[in-house]
Amino acid sequence: MMLAWMCVIGVAEAGGGPWVLGPGDQTIYVGMDVQRLTQLGIQAGPDPADYTTIDVGEGLSSFGVKAIANYGLLSRVELELEVPWYRVSANRVDVEPCLALGEGSCKTTQSIGLLRGQAKWLVLDELQGMPLSVSLGGTMRYGGFTAPARSRITNVGEGTTDLGPSIHLGRTGGLGKGGYWSAYTELYWLYRFPSTDSYQGSDLGPDAPVSAPMPEWVLNGEALFSPDASVAFGPSFSGLYRNGLDWYELNLEDPDRLAALGVYNMRVGGKLVIRNERGVAFSTGFLRTVVSYNNPSDAWLVSAGLSVPTGLGRP
Amino acid sequence: MLLEVGERVAGRFVVDHLVAEGGLSEVYQVRHIELGSVHALKLLRADHPGITKRLLMEGRIQAQLTHPNIAPVTDVVRHKDRVGLLMPLILGKSMAELLERRVQIPVAESLELMAGVLCGVSAAHGAGVLHRDIKPGNVLLLVEGEAMRPLVTDFGIAKVAESMGNATRVGSAMGTPGYSAPEQVLDAADVDVRADIFSLGVVLYRMLTGRMPYVSPDGSVRIGSVVSEPYTPLGVADATLPDALCETVDKALARSAQDRFADVHEMAKALLKERPKLLARVLAPSGIGPISFELPTLDPVPDGPESGAPGVTLMPEAAEQPAPTPNLAFAPAPTEPESPAPLPAAEEKSPLIWLGAAAAVLLLGGGLWWWQGEDPVTEPLAENTPEEQLVIDQAAALKPISPPSPEEPPAEPVEEEVLLGAPSELGEPVVVGPGPSGVESSGIKPAGEKPVEAVPEGPDQEVPEEPSAETVASDGPDVVEPEEGEDVVAVVDPAEAPGSITEAPPVPEEPEQPPSWSGPDVSGAWSGTAGGRPATMLLKMTPEGQVSGELVFILGATRRSFPVRGSVDQQGRMKLSSGSDLSLSAQASEASINGSYEQGRSKDQSIRLGR
Ligand SMILES: Nc1ncnc2c1ncn2[C@@H]1O[C@H](COP(=O)(O)OP(=O)(O)O)[C@@H](O)[C@H]1O
Ligand SMILES: [Mg+2]
């Protein structure tokens, strides 16, 4: 379940949207994020009225550091590589979800998270006959490092390898007086090579075995306003949807119990970027869960990091 | 309410009224239309196939566990897609209601009621069934004359030895807060008869003291309380109770299963040492033959008016059969080591590289570290610490010696009478209901009369954690210096074709401009889009059309600045460059700049800027 608050694509630290670096251009982002939650919404029974929010004692928190490198490969084609490391811990382990999921399910986990590589190809430039810039992407995630702890509520991933396309739409314009705005939204679909295709739910679950996890949709967006090029701020959002079983249908003895969960959530927040003349940018942002299903209902994420242009493509 | 009063059910019953509401069900009093007999109908609120399956299993278990202290199920009734279980109506209602009215039950009476419960549970265990949800609400009390016979009911989350291992689910198999054993709370699939022993202990503790044995400091009882809260020994909760009784209850309530009684018979032997008659009943063979829990492969014929009336046995007699062979796999292995509470695990070593990266960010982002500041790791299932054990032992030792309980007659042959606690046998007759002598039973002790001394300290589970961040000298990426001042290019000839930019000496030549400038004034701030990305430009302009300034591309979070120089002519044709890194040609007006540029290996990029 933590997948939905931990490892989601999004929180565009290194930039998001359709825009790509010029060939040979490089940037590196190094940042950290902290997340905290105290409540889980779960579908505890078959009736919609059985949806309840349970307390996670004094909460779960995570701390992560990550590095993201971006590289302009060709004209209009950019590569991105992300390497995160996470530490997730429960402030109390003697609370309901930890107890329900069994001993060790709330043990502190620290591990390399999901390695992510992405290629993005700018297919339409808003200045060339289109009102929008559009790029198409392909993402691959590798979760091998997260597999051993995937059954924990404190996992940092579900141990799968994921692959899928994405589309990124964006538009930017002047604000006058040297200011600009930019806005984008992007949609990812990820096929998640299932850890198991014979996950058998509880006696309240489906009769036939299912595969877990199911594919995942991610929708992100951000709008930034920049009175001049040195500062930008604005709202952002990030949503996730995955089909799967309800909490009450889970067979809790299977290590893929959390991967089998069907979840969705929507988090909204804001972002602030401050850039110096050399292009070094400090960015910070937060996201807060506003809608969730079988997922943390009050998660906060705060991130901060530095982006540095490390290479300029030369002719 | 699922059913209306007067509604016909399954063609042969009519609803009298709602009796009680359970977790997933409603229980109605129904009347057989043709026979006039009165029954209880437990009807599922949900029509979910999984829950239905479980109810049918519950019915099968209870129907086959024919025993005087187990509530019988006599039929399955289907009504409008819902499934229900038909039972004899137990008029005395449940032990939960008794405990609501009478906060404490005297020792003798508690033991008599408990003996009946032990009989029922022991019979279930003998047949290979774990109840897993023993609590006052699941013990019905049948009023028989002036006495009460306990009937164990609600085998809704029962576990049939090994055959239902896959059936765990949250919120149900975990049982009931305060009554479920610690190991059941932690893993409901991995329990044995000792989990039921624990619950029996809680029920008895509750009867004797009106309190729960494991309570959170705020007075609440949560599902995890049995795991994490300190135990108040029975002798501490009520110092007037006999020592032997306290020891027995304390043992049944041991947090670790291996410290409890190995089975119900052992518990009964300790509890009923002084009541040989009651003990003999518990130890008597249950008389339950082999039972089968396989669900039928044939769909039952739906109920209808044409279906015959079911044979309703109100009070099944205990059949005289040899005791079934106890299911050996089901009994706990006495020597089986309980997996010890995991000590705070030494955290796996974190890759130093990421701590280094964290430190680099720390220099800048800094103040967010408080988030990680406190991170106590508490461990579940801590055993009593030696200090606690000392307190417990002292409390037990200091307890005033209670007067010896009245001598029981020596063991008598097992009576076939099912009724436990016949008036003649009871110190205080038990009367249920609001009758004249009912509420003021002489044995009532209001709760709170005696202060309960809770064990003062909880297990010291807080393990301070090593600070997780080791600060490593910052070794962040090198910052690229902008190449300001080198390779500055001035585009001299405004008439030159776009794109053919020539290198020029650093000092720009004087452009050939008329003295009075009539072209657009491009000085000031611009912003818009370049190459599909946000871009801004700040320009200064001489009266002769010489232009210099800075063009900024926004690249993700970062930005890239290019110092630019060039010119604009009277017609607004603008050429700018930044050494060999960038060249731009555009049509400029007072309000807009539209054109194209090359930057590095990116050719023919569009740029559109406005004010
Ligand atoms: N045969 C019965 N006669 C009278 N009351 C009953 C009977 N069976 C159950 N009840 C009442 O209904 C309540 C709920 O029944 P139970 O079987 O425990 O259902 P649930 O599984 O929903 O908890 C009991 O606590 C009791 O008060
Ligand atoms: Mg019940």
Side-chain angles (χ1 to χ4, degrees), chain A residues 5 34-38 58-62 91 296 298-302, chain B residues 370-371 374:
Chain A
W5 70 295
V34 287
Q35 301 183 62
R36 211 178 149 81
L37 68 94
T38 63
E58 279 142 38
L60 298 181
S61 44
S62 83
N91 293 331
D298 67 344
W300 280 96
L301 175 148
V302 178
Chain B
W370 62 266
W371 279 81
E374 23 69 74

PDB file of all heavy atoms in Angstrom, chain A residues 5 34-38 58-62 91 296 298-302, chain B residues 370-371 374:
ATOM      1  N   TRP A   5       1.995   6.030  -1.622  1.00  0.00           N
ATOM      2  CA  TRP A   5       2.437   7.298  -1.073  1.00  0.00           C
ATOM      3  C   TRP A   5       3.927   7.466  -1.214  1.00  0.00           C
ATOM      4  O   TRP A   5       4.475   8.508  -1.014  1.00  0.00           O
ATOM      5  CB  TRP A   5       1.989   7.438   0.377  1.00  0.00           C
ATOM      6  CG  TRP A   5       2.666   6.559   1.372  1.00  0.00           C
ATOM      7  CD1 TRP A   5       2.609   5.205   1.440  1.00  0.00           C
ATOM      8  CD2 TRP A   5       3.510   6.972   2.448  1.00  0.00           C
ATOM      9  NE1 TRP A   5       3.348   4.754   2.492  1.00  0.00           N
ATOM     10  CE2 TRP A   5       3.909   5.821   3.135  1.00  0.00           C
ATOM     11  CE3 TRP A   5       3.947   8.219   2.905  1.00  0.00           C
ATOM     12  CZ2 TRP A   5       4.732   5.855   4.240  1.00  0.00           C
ATOM     13  CZ3 TRP A   5       4.765   8.237   4.019  1.00  0.00           C
ATOM     14  CH2 TRP A   5       5.151   7.074   4.670  1.00  0.00           C
ATOM     15  N   VAL A  34      10.432  13.933   2.908  1.00  0.00           N
ATOM     16  CA  VAL A  34       9.923  13.289   4.109  1.00  0.00           C
ATOM     17  C   VAL A  34       8.425  13.157   3.944  1.00  0.00           C
ATOM     18  O   VAL A  34       7.772  14.004   3.339  1.00  0.00           O
ATOM     19  CB  VAL A  34      10.238  14.091   5.388  1.00  0.00           C
ATOM     20  CG1 VAL A  34      11.697  13.976   5.730  1.00  0.00           C
ATOM     21  CG2 VAL A  34       9.830  15.525   5.254  1.00  0.00           C
ATOM     22  N   GLN A  35       7.896  12.055   4.430  1.00  0.00           N
ATOM     23  CA  GLN A  35       6.461  11.840   4.351  1.00  0.00           C
ATOM     24  C   GLN A  35       5.990  11.349   5.704  1.00  0.00           C
ATOM     25  O   GLN A  35       6.724  10.716   6.447  1.00  0.00           O
ATOM     26  CB  GLN A  35       6.131  10.801   3.282  1.00  0.00           C
ATOM     27  CG  GLN A  35       6.628  11.211   1.920  1.00  0.00           C
ATOM     28  CD  GLN A  35       6.229  10.217   0.849  1.00  0.00           C
ATOM     29  OE1 GLN A  35       5.056  10.015   0.604  1.00  0.00           O
ATOM     30  NE2 GLN A  35       7.197   9.586   0.231  1.00  0.00           N
ATOM     31  N   ARG A  36       4.761  11.642   5.966  1.00  0.00           N
ATOM     32  CA  ARG A  36       4.206  11.264   7.251  1.00  0.00           C
ATOM     33  C   ARG A  36       2.716  10.992   7.085  1.00  0.00           C
ATOM     34  O   ARG A  36       2.049  11.675   6.312  1.00  0.00           O
ATOM     35  CB  ARG A  36       4.389  12.420   8.215  1.00  0.00           C
ATOM     36  CG  ARG A  36       4.565  11.976   9.631  1.00  0.00           C
ATOM     37  CD  ARG A  36       4.799  13.155  10.539  1.00  0.00           C
ATOM     38  NE  ARG A  36       4.247  12.799  11.835  1.00  0.00           N
ATOM     39  CZ  ARG A  36       4.891  12.057  12.711  1.00  0.00           C
ATOM     40  NH1 ARG A  36       6.094  11.621  12.443  1.00  0.00           N
ATOM     41  NH2 ARG A  36       4.333  11.742  13.857  1.00  0.00           N
ATOM     42  N   LEU A  37       2.213  10.000   7.799  1.00  0.00           N
ATOM     43  CA  LEU A  37       0.783   9.735   7.754  1.00  0.00           C
ATOM     44  C   LEU A  37       0.379   9.130   9.084  1.00  0.00           C
ATOM     45  O   LEU A  37       1.203   8.540   9.791  1.00  0.00           O
ATOM     46  CB  LEU A  37       0.429   8.769   6.621  1.00  0.00           C
ATOM     47  CG  LEU A  37       0.916   7.342   6.778  1.00  0.00           C
ATOM     48  CD1 LEU A  37      -0.166   6.472   7.420  1.00  0.00           C
ATOM     49  CD2 LEU A  37       1.276   6.772   5.448  1.00  0.00           C
ATOM     50  N   THR A  38      -0.879   9.308   9.429  1.00  0.00           N
ATOM     51  CA  THR A  38      -1.355   8.689  10.667  1.00  0.00           C
ATOM     52  C   THR A  38      -2.623   7.877  10.447  1.00  0.00           C
ATOM     53  O   THR A  38      -3.063   7.197  11.354  1.00  0.00           O
ATOM     54  CB  THR A  38      -1.653   9.734  11.756  1.00  0.00           C
ATOM     55  OG1 THR A  38      -2.705  10.578  11.283  1.00  0.00           O
ATOM     56  CG2 THR A  38      -0.431  10.582  12.048  1.00  0.00           C
ATOM     57  N   GLU A  58       0.982   6.427  16.247  1.00  0.00           N
ATOM     58  CA  GLU A  58       1.627   7.723  16.086  1.00  0.00           C
ATOM     59  C   GLU A  58       2.181   7.921  14.696  1.00  0.00           C
ATOM     60  O   GLU A  58       2.989   8.797  14.452  1.00  0.00           O
ATOM     61  CB  GLU A  58       2.705   7.903  17.158  1.00  0.00           C
ATOM     62  CG  GLU A  58       2.095   8.339  18.476  1.00  0.00           C
ATOM     63  CD  GLU A  58       2.772   7.703  19.680  1.00  0.00           C
ATOM     64  OE1 GLU A  58       3.992   7.547  19.643  1.00  0.00           O
ATOM     65  OE2 GLU A  58       2.073   7.356  20.634  1.00  0.00           O
ATOM     66  N   GLY A  59       1.753   7.100  13.766  1.00  0.00           N
ATOM     67  CA  GLY A  59       2.037   7.391  12.384  1.00  0.00           C
ATOM     68  C   GLY A  59       3.222   6.641  11.802  1.00  0.00           C
ATOM     69  O   GLY A  59       4.006   6.012  12.492  1.00  0.00           O
ATOM     70  N   LEU A  60       3.283   6.719  10.491  1.00  0.00           N
ATOM     71  CA  LEU A  60       4.411   6.184   9.749  1.00  0.00           C
ATOM     72  C   LEU A  60       5.140   7.371   9.161  1.00  0.00           C
ATOM     73  O   LEU A  60       4.519   8.344   8.758  1.00  0.00           O
ATOM     74  CB  LEU A  60       3.943   5.308   8.588  1.00  0.00           C
ATOM     75  CG  LEU A  60       3.149   4.061   8.871  1.00  0.00           C
ATOM     76  CD1 LEU A  60       2.828   3.374   7.550  1.00  0.00           C
ATOM     77  CD2 LEU A  60       3.924   3.122   9.753  1.00  0.00           C
ATOM     78  N   SER A  61       6.431   7.307   9.097  1.00  0.00           N
ATOM     79  CA  SER A  61       7.140   8.372   8.415  1.00  0.00           C
ATOM     80  C   SER A  61       8.224   7.783   7.550  1.00  0.00           C
ATOM     81  O   SER A  61       8.703   6.669   7.780  1.00  0.00           O
ATOM     82  CB  SER A  61       7.698   9.396   9.390  1.00  0.00           C
ATOM     83  OG  SER A  61       8.284   8.769  10.485  1.00  0.00           O
ATOM     84  N   SER A  62       8.563   8.543   6.534  1.00  0.00           N
ATOM     85  CA  SER A  62       9.616   8.096   5.647  1.00  0.00           C
ATOM     86  C   SER A  62      10.565   9.249   5.413  1.00  0.00           C
ATOM     87  O   SER A  62      10.200  10.409   5.505  1.00  0.00           O
ATOM     88  CB  SER A  62       9.054   7.633   4.316  1.00  0.00           C
ATOM     89  OG  SER A  62       8.855   8.733   3.473  1.00  0.00           O
ATOM     90  N   ASN A  91       6.127   4.743  13.894  1.00  0.00           N
ATOM     91  CA  ASN A  91       6.465   5.275  15.202  1.00  0.00           C
ATOM     92  C   ASN A  91       5.983   4.377  16.322  1.00  0.00           C
ATOM     93  O   ASN A  91       6.501   4.421  17.425  1.00  0.00           O
ATOM     94  CB  ASN A  91       5.919   6.685  15.344  1.00  0.00           C
ATOM     95  CG  ASN A  91       6.630   7.627  14.392  1.00  0.00           C
ATOM     96  OD1 ASN A  91       7.783   7.407  14.049  1.00  0.00           O
ATOM     97  ND2 ASN A  91       5.954   8.653  13.930  1.00  0.00           N
ATOM     98  N   PRO A 296      -3.406   5.636   2.620  1.00  0.00           N
ATOM     99  CA  PRO A 296      -3.316   6.663   3.660  1.00  0.00           C
ATOM    100  C   PRO A 296      -4.214   7.846   3.313  1.00  0.00           C
ATOM    101  O   PRO A 296      -4.278   8.258   2.159  1.00  0.00           O
ATOM    102  CB  PRO A 296      -1.850   7.079   3.618  1.00  0.00           C
ATOM    103  CG  PRO A 296      -1.144   5.921   3.058  1.00  0.00           C
ATOM    104  CD  PRO A 296      -2.093   5.266   2.101  1.00  0.00           C
ATOM    105  N   ASP A 298      -4.234  10.813   5.176  1.00  0.00           N
ATOM    106  CA  ASP A 298      -3.758  12.118   5.651  1.00  0.00           C
ATOM    107  C   ASP A 298      -2.258  12.259   5.462  1.00  0.00           C
ATOM    108  O   ASP A 298      -1.579  12.836   6.287  1.00  0.00           O
ATOM    109  CB  ASP A 298      -4.128  12.308   7.118  1.00  0.00           C
ATOM    110  CG  ASP A 298      -3.383  11.336   8.019  1.00  0.00           C
ATOM    111  OD1 ASP A 298      -2.845  10.347   7.488  1.00  0.00           O
ATOM    112  OD2 ASP A 298      -3.330  11.568   9.231  1.00  0.00           O
ATOM    113  N   ALA A 299      -1.748  11.695   4.369  1.00  0.00           N
ATOM    114  CA  ALA A 299      -0.297  11.726   4.172  1.00  0.00           C
ATOM    115  C   ALA A 299       0.170  13.122   3.756  1.00  0.00           C
ATOM    116  O   ALA A 299      -0.479  13.806   2.965  1.00  0.00           O
ATOM    117  CB  ALA A 299       0.103  10.703   3.109  1.00  0.00           C
ATOM    118  N   TRP A 300       1.271  13.490   4.299  1.00  0.00           N
ATOM    119  CA  TRP A 300       1.953  14.724   3.919  1.00  0.00           C
ATOM    120  C   TRP A 300       3.284  14.340   3.307  1.00  0.00           C
ATOM    121  O   TRP A 300       3.973  13.449   3.808  1.00  0.00           O
ATOM    122  CB  TRP A 300       2.259  15.577   5.149  1.00  0.00           C
ATOM    123  CG  TRP A 300       1.122  16.381   5.654  1.00  0.00           C
ATOM    124  CD1 TRP A 300       0.270  16.043   6.663  1.00  0.00           C
ATOM    125  CD2 TRP A 300       0.724  17.677   5.199  1.00  0.00           C
ATOM    126  NE1 TRP A 300      -0.634  17.052   6.854  1.00  0.00           N
ATOM    127  CE2 TRP A 300      -0.385  18.065   5.977  1.00  0.00           C
ATOM    128  CE3 TRP A 300       1.193  18.530   4.213  1.00  0.00           C
ATOM    129  CZ2 TRP A 300      -1.036  19.275   5.799  1.00  0.00           C
ATOM    130  CZ3 TRP A 300       0.537  19.736   4.038  1.00  0.00           C
ATOM    131  CH2 TRP A 300      -0.558  20.104   4.809  1.00  0.00           C
ATOM    132  N   LEU A 301       3.659  15.059   2.277  1.00  0.00           N
ATOM    133  CA  LEU A 301       4.985  14.887   1.716  1.00  0.00           C
ATOM    134  C   LEU A 301       5.603  16.274   1.602  1.00  0.00           C
ATOM    135  O   LEU A 301       4.957  17.211   1.142  1.00  0.00           O
ATOM    136  CB  LEU A 301       4.893  14.241   0.330  1.00  0.00           C
ATOM    137  CG  LEU A 301       6.215  14.106  -0.437  1.00  0.00           C
ATOM    138  CD1 LEU A 301       6.190  12.870  -1.317  1.00  0.00           C
ATOM    139  CD2 LEU A 301       6.493  15.310  -1.301  1.00  0.00           C
ATOM    140  N   VAL A 302       6.823  16.390   2.048  1.00  0.00           N
ATOM    141  CA  VAL A 302       7.565  17.630   1.856  1.00  0.00           C
ATOM    142  C   VAL A 302       8.881  17.248   1.219  1.00  0.00           C
ATOM    143  O   VAL A 302       9.542  16.308   1.666  1.00  0.00           O
ATOM    144  CB  VAL A 302       7.802  18.354   3.196  1.00  0.00           C
ATOM    145  CG1 VAL A 302       8.621  19.610   2.986  1.00  0.00           C
ATOM    146  CG2 VAL A 302       6.477  18.687   3.858  1.00  0.00           C
TER     147      VAL A 302
ATOM    148  N   TRP B 370      13.827  17.834  11.441  1.00  0.00           N
ATOM    149  CA  TRP B 370      13.052  17.491  12.629  1.00  0.00           C
ATOM    150  C   TRP B 370      12.091  16.362  12.373  1.00  0.00           C
ATOM    151  O   TRP B 370      11.741  15.616  13.278  1.00  0.00           O
ATOM    152  CB  TRP B 370      12.293  18.714  13.141  1.00  0.00           C
ATOM    153  CG  TRP B 370      11.296  19.233  12.149  1.00  0.00           C
ATOM    154  CD1 TRP B 370      11.482  20.206  11.229  1.00  0.00           C
ATOM    155  CD2 TRP B 370       9.944  18.798  11.989  1.00  0.00           C
ATOM    156  NE1 TRP B 370      10.363  20.403  10.489  1.00  0.00           N
ATOM    157  CE2 TRP B 370       9.397  19.551  10.932  1.00  0.00           C
ATOM    158  CE3 TRP B 370       9.139  17.821  12.630  1.00  0.00           C
ATOM    159  CZ2 TRP B 370       8.096  19.395  10.514  1.00  0.00           C
ATOM    160  CZ3 TRP B 370       7.836  17.673  12.192  1.00  0.00           C
ATOM    161  CH2 TRP B 370       7.337  18.465  11.150  1.00  0.00           C
ATOM    162  N   TRP B 371      11.711  16.228  11.110  1.00  0.00           N
ATOM    163  CA  TRP B 371      10.788  15.136  10.759  1.00  0.00           C
ATOM    164  C   TRP B 371      11.332  13.788  11.184  1.00  0.00           C
ATOM    165  O   TRP B 371      10.610  12.896  11.551  1.00  0.00           O
ATOM    166  CB  TRP B 371      10.571  15.098   9.252  1.00  0.00           C
ATOM    167  CG  TRP B 371       9.588  16.088   8.777  1.00  0.00           C
ATOM    168  CD1 TRP B 371       9.792  17.403   8.533  1.00  0.00           C
ATOM    169  CD2 TRP B 371       8.220  15.849   8.470  1.00  0.00           C
ATOM    170  NE1 TRP B 371       8.648  17.972   8.105  1.00  0.00           N
ATOM    171  CE2 TRP B 371       7.665  17.051   8.045  1.00  0.00           C
ATOM    172  CE3 TRP B 371       7.412  14.694   8.517  1.00  0.00           C
ATOM    173  CZ2 TRP B 371       6.337  17.169   7.673  1.00  0.00           C
ATOM    174  CZ3 TRP B 371       6.085  14.817   8.129  1.00  0.00           C
ATOM    175  CH2 TRP B 371       5.579  16.052   7.723  1.00  0.00           C
ATOM    176  N   GLU B 374      12.434  12.332  15.992  1.00  0.00           N
ATOM    177  CA  GLU B 374      11.996  11.312  16.935  1.00  0.00           C
ATOM    178  C   GLU B 374      11.547  10.109  16.135  1.00  0.00           C
ATOM    179  O   GLU B 374      10.809  10.215  15.191  1.00  0.00           O
ATOM    180  CB  GLU B 374      10.844  11.808  17.823  1.00  0.00           C
ATOM    181  CG  GLU B 374      10.042  12.950  17.257  1.00  0.00           C
ATOM    182  CD  GLU B 374       9.188  12.581  16.057  1.00  0.00           C
ATOM    183  OE1 GLU B 374       8.162  11.913  16.261  1.00  0.00           O
ATOM    184  OE2 GLU B 374       9.550  12.953  14.924  1.00  0.00           O
TER     185      GLU B 374
END
